[in-house]
């Protein structure tokens, strides 16, 4: 299991929740610090957390998250998915293991 920061663990758990769909438009407004104005995400309790592109990239580099390009209505989006290894790690984090 890779060593992750608290923010990376929280984001991985959020991505692994049933009903979480995470997509980023790759044609409109992509920059290093923000992706289309995406600055925060919200958990089930309504708590807001800062979104950092480096957190997402670290999870991709650790093979915990993967993505695919999709083209709904001809617009290029990148959809992110948690891998099996990522789901196993997220389950361990939810159960309190670190």
């Amino acid at each position: 299991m890779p060593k992750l920061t608290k923010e990376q663990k929280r984001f991985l758990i959020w991505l692994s929740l049933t009903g979480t769909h995470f997509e980023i438009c790759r044609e409109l407004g992509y920059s290093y610090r923000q992706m289309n104005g995406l600055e925060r995400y919200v958990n089930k309790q309504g708590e807001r957390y800062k979104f950092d592109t480096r957190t997402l990239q670290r999870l991709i580099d650790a093979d915990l998250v993967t993505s695919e390009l999709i083209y709904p209505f001809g617009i290029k989006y990148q959809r992110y998915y948690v891998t099996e290894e990522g789901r196993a790690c997220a389950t361990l984090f939810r159960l309190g293991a670190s």
Side-chain angles (χ1 to χ4, degrees):
M1 178 178 350
K3 185 173 181 176
L4 302 175
T5 66
K6 181 179 177 181
E7 182 179 334
Q8 292 165 346
K9 290 177 185 179
R10 182 175 54 228
F11 191 65
L12 179 63
I13 290 170
W14 180 79
L15 279 175
S16 70
L17 295 175
T18 305
T20 299
H21 301 280
F22 189 67
E23 296 176 353
I24 297 174
C25 179
R26 289 297 184 188
E27 290 187 359
L28 306 171
Y30 174 78
S31 72
Y32 171 71
R33 298 215 180 268
Q34 291 184 1
M35 295 182 178
N36 300 325
L38 178 61
E39 296 175 358
R40 305 199 181 281
Y41 62 97
V42 179
N43 70 5
K44 286 184 178 182
Q45 291 76 31
E47 297 173 275
R48 295 171 56 96
Y49 295 107
K50 181 182 179 292
F51 172 78
D52 188 345
T53 58
R54 293 174 296 180
T55 297
L56 178 59
Q57 190 57 52
R58 171 68 175 106
L59 296 175
I60 292 169
D61 291 345
D63 293 326
L64 300 175
V65 173
T66 188
S67 67
E68 72 173 344
L69 292 175
I70 58 172
Y71 296 87
F73 308 108
I75 299 172
K76 183 178 177 182
Y77 278 83
Q78 193 162 9
R79 182 177 289 168
Y80 293 88
Y81 301 96
V82 178
T83 63
E84 290 302 317
E85 182 182 353
R87 288 200 183 282
C89 286
T91 300
L92 288 175
F93 297 147
R94 280 196 296 263
L95 296 176
S98 53

